[in-house]
Amino acid sequence: MTPTSHAVQSRQDLVDKLVHRAIPPTDAALARELDRQIEDWIESVGIFAGRTDVHDTRFGLFALLTHPSALNVDLLLLAAKNIATLVACDDYYCDDEALGADPLRTAPRLSRALSIVDPPSTLHRFEALLAEETRKDPILRALRETRSELAGRATPAQMGRYEHATIAMFMGMSAEAMWRYARDDLPLWEYLSHRQANSGKPCLSIIDVVGGYEVPPDAYYHPDVARAIDLANAQILIVNDLYSTKGERTSAPGSADVVTILMRERSCDHAEAAQAGVAIHNEIATEYLALVENVKTEGGPTLSRFMADLTGWISGNLRWHLESGRHRD
């Protein structure tokens, strides 16, 4: 893609400084079709109501870029639904005060969302009450529909890891809301530790579901594979922070991110902090790529495919940040 403006040039320059695998070309027609279908779904469930930026966000492109080996359009659309729902949850419950986010209401809202992700085993007469609350909230409706569709595609083990990752993310979001309310200044080490749970892992947890295969539980939770997933997740969150810092500071005063924390800890400007963030990303990426090669050598064909798909997710996420309108200044 040829940069056409100073803003785009800056974004491409950032990509060029990041250690990453080559980003594969994308089927432009399929990306447009997935964008159309996910926009129709978003309208049907009611998330992002009244927002004019959904088209430019391109959730369909996001799913296609981050699952480059997936062949099933319905599964790619499921990935896009999961991404869009979690982004809506983050925007409306946690990050954007203009959309009604309130740190004092974040934990109760996410607690209710947990009842959708991991349905409670309670008396049947209470199920109607939960269903009624779900009908009132478009984010809960989107969560319910996405989870239901995923349950029809995934094995019990795959569902279990999706639920665990999403629950951990919601708990992390609740903690972040309290830090924001208290205006606590997180040190970088604590922020990065916190973001291991409050993260993109719910999306990473369904990579093999979208790909139409399964990594056995003993392989998925092997320490080397688990560390590779953590390192992948760290790269994803740092890229998000590098691209979204200015917008997030405006929509959610007191929010923490790698660049803002580095500016405070090093008493430097935004450009210097961004470069320091790139260096941290690259240190993580270098370890990740070495670990992946070892796992692919030792793990067999299924695990080798998963490692390739995990790396594809990282590369696709980077490309999406370059092409999506969500994080443009």
Side-chain angles (χ1 to χ4, degrees):
M1 187 177 78
T2 302
T4 56
S5 69
H6 176 72
V8 174
Q9 179 66 57
S10 298
R11 292 156 70 89
Q12 183 63 59
D13 286 348
L14 180 58
V15 170
D16 293 341
K17 294 172 183 175
L18 294 169
V19 171
H20 62 279
R21 289 287 194 235
I23 302 170
T26 302
D27 183 332
L30 179 55
R32 288 193 297 270
E33 176 60 19
L34 286 168
D35 283 336
R36 184 192 66 77
Q37 291 190 37
I38 191 63
E39 287 177 38
D40 288 347
W41 179 79
I42 284 170
E43 184 176 357
S44 72
V45 296
I47 56 175
F48 302 111
R51 293 272 293 273
T52 59
D53 58 346
V54 174
H55 178 76
D56 290 337
T57 298
R58 304 202 63 188
F59 289 113
L61 174 67
F62 199 172
L64 186 60
L65 286 170
T66 52
H67 298 275
S69 74
L71 301 175
N72 186 301
V73 174
D74 289 338
L75 288 172
L76 285 167
L77 185 60
L78 173 58
K81 290 177 181 178
N82 187 50
I83 294 166
T85 299
L86 295 177
V87 168
C89 185
D90 198 36
D91 284 356
Y92 286 83
Y93 287 174
C94 306
D95 276 352
D96 199 330
E97 294 180 3
L99 298 176
D102 178 349
L104 295 181
R105 298 178 63 199
T106 298
R109 284 171 158 176
L110 291 172
S111 178
R112 188 162 290 177
L114 288 178
S115 297
I116 306 299
V117 174
D118 185 19
S121 299
T122 186
L123 297 175
H124 290 303
R125 67 174 182 269
F126 294 135
E127 292 176 358
L129 297 174
L130 176 58
E132 177 59 29
E133 291 302 313
T134 302
R135 282 192 289 272
K136 296 177 183 177
D137 187 330
I139 292 175
L140 298 185
R141 292 199 299 270
L143 275 172
R144 180 184 60 188
E145 185 170 328
T146 301
R147 185 199 183 281
S148 176
E149 186 174 344
L150 182 62
R153 300 282 192 171
T155 68
Q158 288 172 319
M159 280 302 297
R161 69 166 109 109
Y162 157 80
E163 291 170 358
H164 179 270
T166 308
I167 290 167
M169 185 186 73
F170 286 172
M171 296 297 288
M173 286 178 171
S174 298
E176 181 183 344
M178 288 298 95
W179 288 328
R180 185 174 296 163
Y181 176 74
R183 294 296 195 266
D184 285 344
D185 289 335
L186 292 183
L188 184 60
W189 71 264
E190 187 172 2
Y191 173 74
L192 292 175
S193 298
H194 158 77
R195 289 304 299 268
Q196 186 163 299
N198 182 6
S199 67
K201 283 187 179 178
C203 298
L204 303 183
S205 73
I206 64 170
I207 284 175
D208 55 345
V209 179
V210 179
Y213 64 101
E214 181 181 13
V215 179
D218 284 350
Y220 189 86
Y221 291 106
H222 185 280
D224 286 347
V225 177
R227 181 161 180 77
I229 293 169
D230 288 340
L231 294 174
N233 178 67
Q235 293 169 72
I236 290 163
L237 81 88
I238 292 174
V239 165
N240 183 72
D241 283 358
L242 288 169
Y243 276 103
S244 64
T245 300
K246 293 179 182 179
E248 297 234 346
R249 281 206 306 265
T250 301
S251 64
S255 60
D257 59 78
V258 166
V259 178
T260 302
I261 293 171
L262 285 167
M263 289 173 66
R264 184 186 71 245
E265 291 190 348
R266 301 191 180 192
S267 299
C268 64
D269 62 19
H270 184 276
E272 291 177 71
Q275 290 306 310
V278 168
I280 292 170
H281 171 280
N282 289 348
E283 183 179 352
I284 293 168
T286 300
E287 180 183 346
Y288 167 82
L289 291 170
L291 181 58
V292 163
E293 291 307 311
N294 181 63
V295 172
K296 288 170 70 174
T297 299
E298 301 292 333
T302 299
L303 204 50
S304 180
R305 177 179 178 184
F306 177 73
M307 288 293 104
D309 286 346
L310 183 62
T311 301
W313 215 105
I314 298 168
S315 299
N317 174 70
L318 183 55
R319 172 59 66 184
W320 177 78
H321 276 82
L322 185 64
E323 297 192 11
S324 170
R326 179 174 171 84
H327 297 304
R328 294 199 186 280
D329 294 336

